[in-house]
Amino acid sequence: LVLRIRESGGSLSRILKTVEVSHPTWPDPVLREARARAHFLCFLPSGSWPGGLATRWLMSAVRSFQNLKGTVVQLESRPSKTPGCQLDILVTLDMARTGLLQLLRSLRQSGALAGVTLLSENKVDAKEAWFPRHARDLDNCNHLMTKYEPELDMNHPGFADKAYRERRKKIAEIAFSYKYGDPIPHIEYNEDEISTWTSVFRTVVDLLPKHACAEYNRVFKMLQDEGIFREGAIPQLKDMSDFLQRHTGFTLRPAAGLLTARDFLASLAFRVFQSTQYVRHPTSPFHTPEPDCIHELLGHMPLLADPSFAQFSQEIGLASLGASDAEIEKLSTVYWFTVEFGLCKEQGVVKAYGAGLLSAYGELLHAVSDKPEHRPFEPASTALQPYQDQEYQPIYYVAESFEDAKEKFRKWVSTMSRPYEVRFNPHTQRVEVLDSV
Ligand code: HBI
Ligand code: FE
């Protein structure tokens, strides 16, 4: 797409930032065959434009690419040689062909353009859809959701706390610059952070023997014996990662915040868990709207050291590779009602294994009480159950065991539309694609 636009203000670098956020996604199954890569040429007429109009126009163009599920492959600008135009912008897009037609039409109708020319269009083999094939590729799977960030959300307890936001930024930068193979950076936690950890840790120690599943309690004890779980010190991700690696081969890598479901699930396929490293705001030690390292450490890590649970987590990850957006949504829902809020049965008694319950005692007590509805875990129906993350869940799904949940999950995944199989080769850390064609 070459856009000839006049720019007299605003900043192109902001647009480029927006473009970087767009991420390769897999089209819906019906559109798979009709995916194309296209180059366009557009002209913006001369005339006197108010400052920054070109920037705003391009922002709205980027929004329509995203709305039509297009991926920006390349975006380049140069001073225009056409009289009356300041910039030519070349955009190469991947999108479904039905979307391309719609896009051309809407660009031509947009008053800001004098003309649009489609330079070329190549049908792209649907199998080119990108997903990580090696654990190293997870360096590209760190796209964040802009939800609940202390910088952006007025309801975040850290919104008005400048020092807290600075601290968050510093820890986020560590995650953004982390590359596969780097040692996990050590964080020197401050007094506030450590005392938040200690107060959550105490409630967990009190409640979990009674309400957590046996697998969790078994690993929790090992972590205490090794001195990784204790009052007065937040476990370092490096130590936890080494511990997990010894038990199930899972490793950790630092994440800057809430990742997109696609990126987060993809890492599980490689037995990699992307973990935040910052601590929730000290004014709300027992509740956090976003993941923090206390939730990851107390909620997720113990079960990642359990072989059966580790396998279940990896299989959700493998199922997500190359899945359509609609399928990612379903897998996230299954993840939500199992890994985050799952219950299981032990000799007829309901126990918790979901990380969101094991790291938040309020909801834990609610979940195992007789107030909410308990339903048997059945992936096909669980995947369609709407959920919210603002209040306690009204419904929980109860698994017979991890093995049983895995069996049911495998059967359900086999009904998904992916035209190939994937398998993880632990020797090479590579995902191998077994093509059916
Ligand atoms: N990102 N950092 C991080 N931690 C999570 O636990 C997490 C995430 N992104 C999405 C997610 N969990 C899930 O709720 C599913 O959407 C996969
Ligand atoms: Fe979580």
Side-chain angles (χ1 to χ4, degrees), residues 255 257-261 264-265 273-274 276 291 295-296 300 332 335-336 340:
L258 183 69
L259 297 170
T260 63
F264 182 77
L265 294 175
F273 188 92
Q274 303 218 42
T276 51
H295 161 76
E296 324 268 33
H300 288 287
S332 296
Y335 181 92
W336 181 265
E340 289 293 347

Side-chain angles (χ1 to χ4, degrees), residues 148-203:
Y148 306 135
E149 277 182 60
E151 291 286 330
L152 303 170
D153 186 345
M154 279 174 57
N155 296 320
H156 192 288
F159 184 75
D161 182 342
K162 191 150 179 282
Y164 180 76
R165 286 186 357 236
E166 286 303 313
R167 174 80 173 146
R168 285 284 297 261
K169 242 189 214 155
K170 220 178 111 196
I171 297 180
E173 270 157 26
I174 292 177
F176 279 131
S177 57
Y178 182 85
K179 292 278 173 277
Y180 172 79
D182 289 351
I184 300 175
H186 180 98
I187 305 269
E188 203 58 49
Y189 289 108
N190 63 37
E191 241 170 70
D192 271 356
E193 291 166 332
I194 294 171
S195 82
T196 303
W197 159 264
T198 299
S199 41
V200 182
F201 184 77
R202 281 189 187 140
T203 65

Side-chain angles (χ1 to χ4, degrees), residues 6-305:
R6 235 180 84 91
E7 176 60 298
S8 45
S11 136
L12 272 182
S13 68
R14 276 188 56 204
I15 298 171
L16 289 169
K17 250 192 183 153
T18 312
V19 171
E20 273 170 14
V21 171
S22 90
H23 186 256
T25 57
W26 190 265
D28 281 329
V30 281
L31 297 177
R32 257 182 204 168
E33 292 314 310
R35 205 145 172 97
R37 178 167 295 187
H39 312 265
F40 290 91
L41 181 62
C42 304
F43 306 97
L44 221 108
S46 54
S48 60
W49 297 94
L53 182 122
T55 307
R56 264 180 287 138
W57 186 83
L58 198 46
M59 292 290 264
S60 83
V62 166
R63 220 168 295 129
S64 18
F65 304 158
Q66 280 179 334
N67 289 343
L68 294 166
K69 300 244 162 73
T71 302
V72 179
V73 178
Q74 193 186 4
L75 190 148
E76 221 176 281
S77 69
R78 65 183 179 205
S80 180
K81 291 196 177 127
T82 310
C85 291
Q86 275 196 359
L87 288 173
D88 295 346
I89 297 188
L90 171 75
V91 183
T92 306
L93 282 174
D94 264 357
M95 69 194 306
R97 289 182 72 203
T98 48
L100 278 181
L101 290 174
Q102 224 175 311
L103 178 70
L104 271 177
R105 225 170 285 146
S106 76
L107 286 177
R108 284 183 180 137
Q109 283 163 7
S110 111
L113 286 177
V116 182
T117 308
L118 179 61
L119 293 177
S120 69
E121 180 204 358
N122 312 315
K123 208 168 160 182
V124 180
D125 183 355
K127 289 194 192 74
E128 264 183 30
W130 187 89
F131 58 80
R133 303 295 177 105
H134 185 271
R136 178 185 299 110
D137 298 337
L138 296 175
D139 288 349
N140 298 317
C141 296
N142 52 14
H143 296 82
L144 294 182
M145 312 264 288
T146 44
K147 201 176 163 190
Y148 306 135
E149 277 182 60
E151 291 286 330
L152 303 170
D153 186 345
M154 279 174 57
N155 296 320
H156 192 288
F159 184 75
D161 182 342
K162 191 150 179 282
Y164 180 76
R165 286 186 357 236
E166 286 303 313
R167 174 80 173 146
R168 285 284 297 261
K169 242 189 214 155
K170 220 178 111 196
I171 297 180
E173 270 157 26
I174 292 177
F176 279 131
S177 57
Y178 182 85
K179 292 278 173 277
Y180 172 79
D182 289 351
I184 300 175
H186 180 98
I187 305 269
E188 203 58 49
Y189 289 108
N190 63 37
E191 241 170 70
D192 271 356
E193 291 166 332
I194 294 171
S195 82
T196 303
W197 159 264
T198 299
S199 41
V200 182
F201 184 77
R202 281 189 187 140
T203 65
V204 165
V205 167
D206 286 347
L207 280 169
L208 294 194
K210 181 148 183 253
H211 298 299
C213 66
E215 291 86 348
Y216 180 93
N217 286 328
R218 183 179 66 84
V219 179
F220 194 95
K221 170 130 199 329
M222 286 196 287
L223 284 163
Q224 279 180 305
D225 292 345
E226 294 207 14
I228 295 177
F229 271 178
R230 60 192 166 92
E231 290 184 15
I234 301 178
Q236 289 293 326
L237 284 196
K238 166 83 172 69
D239 297 338
M240 188 56 101
S241 185
D242 292 348
F243 173 87
L244 294 177
Q245 189 157 28
R246 286 200 298 279
H247 289 276
T248 55
F250 250 93
T251 57
L252 303 176
R253 56 176 291 158
L258 183 69
L259 297 170
T260 63
R262 188 178 284 279
D263 283 355
F264 182 77
L265 294 175
S267 64
L268 298 177
F270 300 86
R271 293 210 174 203
V272 171
F273 188 92
Q274 303 218 42
S275 174
T276 51
Q277 223 169 354
Y278 55 81
V279 178
R280 62 193 66 174
H281 196 260
T283 55
S284 71
F286 299 115
H287 179 261
T288 160
E290 51 179 358
D292 76 335
C293 73
I294 299 182
H295 161 76
E296 324 268 33
L297 288 161
L298 287 175
H300 288 287
M301 306 303 163
L303 282 174
L304 290 175

Side-chain angles (χ1 to χ4, degrees), residues 207-208 210-213 341-344 349-353 357-358 361-374 393 396 398:
L207 280 169
L208 294 194
K210 181 148 183 253
H211 298 299
C213 66
F341 289 97
L343 298 173
C344 60
V349 183
V350 171
K351 305 276 182 172
Y353 72 90
L357 300 174
L358 297 167
Y361 77 105
E363 183 151 6
L364 174 63
L365 293 177
H366 164 79
V368 298
S369 75
D370 54 12
K371 272 178 237 140
E373 189 182 337
H374 289 170
Q393 307 299 315
Y396 296 92
V398 185

